[in-house]
Amino acid sequence: FLGCIYGSVAGVKLEVLPELLRLVHRWDVQGLQATLAEVCSAKMTPELCSALIVGCDVLLVGELGDCVNRYVRKNFAECVKTEGFCSWP
């Protein structure tokens, strides 16, 4: 916690990124939203990709949306195996 306050750095687990992204979007925290989108793009996994598609579909525009689309095209077989795949739109 102190590292976040004094060092302006926070550690976030990948599995909470979609929820955090929705929260900062709801509260219109543009800088943090852009940073989280960059982290999602850099750390993409099949599980994260599925979670973004299911829970953040309205946020999948611009670079994040392009990144998710590219990831799905390249890694569809792995994405199909995720728990969230059954809920894809």
Side-chain angles (χ1 to χ4, degrees), residues 21-36:
L21 194 56
R22 284 192 302 273
L23 179 71
V24 299
H25 174 74
R26 183 177 303 141
W27 291 100
D28 199 27
V29 185
Q30 294 296 322
L32 186 53
Q33 185 173 340
T35 300
L36 290 174

Side-chain angles (χ1 to χ4, degrees), residues 1-46:
F1 178 71
L2 292 177
C4 178
I5 292 173
Y6 293 111
S8 300
V9 175
V12 176
K13 294 182 179 182
L14 287 179
E15 57 266 12
V16 300
L17 280 174
E19 183 64 31
L20 188 55
L21 194 56
R22 284 192 302 273
L23 179 71
V24 299
H25 174 74
R26 183 177 303 141
W27 291 100
D28 199 27
V29 185
Q30 294 296 322
L32 186 53
Q33 185 173 340
T35 300
L36 290 174
E38 288 175 18
V39 171
C40 288
S41 295
K43 304 287 186 179
M44 192 66 68
T45 64

Side-chain angles (χ1 to χ4, degrees), residues 21 33 36-38 40-41 44 49 52-53 56-73:
L21 194 56
Q33 185 173 340
L36 290 174
E38 288 175 18
C40 288
S41 295
M44 192 66 68
C49 185
L52 289 170
I53 290 170
C56 300
D57 56 330
V58 297
L59 304 177
L60 297 182
V61 295
E63 287 186 37
L64 183 58
D66 293 343
C67 176
V68 167
N69 287 330
R70 281 191 307 272
Y71 190 87
V72 168
R73 283 194 302 269

